[in-house]
Amino acid sequence: MAIIPLDLLDRIRALERQVRDLMGSARARPAATVRTAAADTLSAQAVPYPRPWPVAAARWESTGSAGWTTLYRSTGIVRHPRLYCRIDAEGGPSAGLRLLVDGVPTGPEGGAGGLDFTEPVNAASGTVVTFEVQARVATAGETVRCLPVALYGVRA
């Protein structure tokens, strides 16, 4: 048998001790599948921050049409069973505002005061859906302006 210097043997023993310590600490942690209150609040891999938007309503998208007009459109992947939506708006008393998910109105209609709701998403998790913000006015000569502020999935 070859002669191995003692300093190499000592280093190997030290590495083995470190591996045993790491294995022991890994076993001491709860499994990743255990649900905790912290896991519910931070379950997403990436949590988007709200995007900045123009504060001057004159720069928001607007319409004076009596028919539903799509002002904003985006796509997203459904990850949660419910949808939170907040859209700021301003306009006359006949202003109307709504959100469509894959062409189907979701949640209540809003008006000049905007739209703020949480509703179930009628799509399976992992499905790519199209979101549309539509607006209209019932009285000729009026205008409605709006800006989506929040649109994301929630658990409850």
Side-chain angles (χ1 to χ4, degrees):
M1 182 165 158
I3 299 174
I4 300 174
L6 288 179
D7 62 331
L8 285 178
L9 289 174
D10 291 339
R11 290 177 69 187
I12 290 172
R13 285 186 190 108
L15 287 172
E16 288 175 338
R17 262 193 315 275
Q18 289 175 347
V19 168
R20 276 193 303 272
D21 291 341
L22 288 173
M23 294 296 285
S25 66
R27 282 189 218 110
R29 293 187 188 136
T33 57
V34 174
R35 283 191 93 139
T36 63
D40 284 341
T41 58
L42 299 174
S43 63
Q45 298 229 351
V47 178
Y49 290 105
R51 67 177 178 86
W53 63 86
V55 292
R59 289 189 256 160
W60 298 357
E61 292 294 323
S62 64
T63 185
S65 173
W68 288 111
T69 304
T70 299
L71 301 179
Y72 297 92
R73 180 180 292 126
S74 68
T75 58
I77 300 172
V78 175
R79 295 288 182 209
H80 293 85
R82 298 174 63 81
L83 167 76
Y84 173 71
C85 172
R86 180 170 162 227
I87 302 170
D88 287 348
E90 74 168 22
S94 73
L97 188 64
R98 70 181 183 178
L99 176 74
L100 277 65
V101 178
D102 278 345
V104 177
T106 302
E109 284 187 16
L115 194 54
D116 192 345
F117 67 86
T118 302
E119 290 286 330
V121 177
N122 293 322
S125 181
T127 304
V128 177
V129 295
T130 300
F131 299 101
E132 290 180 79
V133 175
Q134 294 186 336
R136 70 176 178 185
V137 292
T139 305
E142 285 187 8
T143 301
V144 59
R145 298 180 192 286
C146 68
L147 181 74
V149 178
L151 186 62
Y152 53 87
V154 293
R155 288 187 185 273

